[in-house]
Amino acid sequence: MMIQVENIIARIDELCDFNGWTRYRLHKEAGVSPSTMNNVYNRKSFPSIPILKSLCDAFGISLAEFFLFDENPLRDYSIEEDEQRIIYKYRNMSETGKKILLAYIQGVADVEKTDKMDSR
């Protein structure tokens, strides 16, 4: 498969959509200048490997995962999109963040369990 700049742009947009990011947010998260992003989007210039690496780092994926056009490594069609986002965010958290999130989820589950018991 010959990679076209349109494929690169579509993949960047797909990953932005998945993360709920605008192009502006992407350039901020990746530390890539607006003019560089403008060249990619408006002038249809291929981004350099270091620029792609910065974008991938912001998305929390590898360059190899970026180029999986036909198979989106972020999507598992057996679970809902919100669940996929949670898993994606979780995988990119620090160990401390993961512990805090799990404690929060356990607290919410405990409250829901108590609410169900009280409503009987």
Side-chain angles (χ1 to χ4, degrees), residues 63-76:
L63 279 169
E65 290 170 315
F66 180 87
F67 286 104
L68 292 174
F69 294 113
D70 295 331
E71 297 178 32
N72 186 341
L74 302 176
R75 299 225 194 283
D76 175 350

Side-chain angles (χ1 to χ4, degrees), residues 15-91:
L15 292 165
C16 280
D17 287 345
F18 185 82
N19 285 285
W21 292 358
T22 62
R23 292 176 179 176
Y24 177 79
R25 169 113 186 249
L26 173 61
H27 103 78
K28 289 290 195 184
E29 294 285 338
V32 174
S33 73
S35 62
T36 298
M37 295 305 293
N38 185 53
N39 285 338
V40 171
Y41 279 104
N42 297 328
R43 294 186 180 167
K44 307 286 191 228
S45 298
F46 277 97
S48 66
I49 295 298
I51 295 299
L52 276 178
K53 177 77 170 96
S54 295
L55 298 176
C56 289
D57 288 347
F59 289 130
I61 62 172
S62 68
L63 279 169
E65 290 170 315
F66 180 87
F67 286 104
L68 292 174
F69 294 113
D70 295 331
E71 297 178 32
N72 186 341
L74 302 176
R75 299 225 194 283
D76 175 350
Y77 294 102
S78 65
I79 61 175
E80 298 294 322
E81 189 169 334
D82 287 344
E83 293 170 310
Q84 292 174 42
R85 281 197 173 103
I86 290 167
I87 292 167
Y88 174 75
K89 297 290 184 188
Y90 179 84
R91 287 180 180 167

Side-chain angles (χ1 to χ4, degrees), residues 1 8 17 31 47 52 71 91 95 97-98 105 107 112 119:
M1 172 181 165
I8 301 290
D17 287 345
L52 276 178
E71 297 178 32
R91 287 180 180 167
E95 289 305 312
K98 289 176 181 179
I105 290 170
E112 287 187 349
S119 66

Side-chain angles (χ1 to χ4, degrees), residues 104-120:
Y104 178 78
I105 290 170
Q106 185 61 54
V108 170
D110 291 347
V111 167
E112 287 187 349
K113 183 178 177 182
T114 302
D115 288 348
K116 283 181 184 176
M117 290 171 43
D118 289 347
S119 66
R120 289 184 187 176

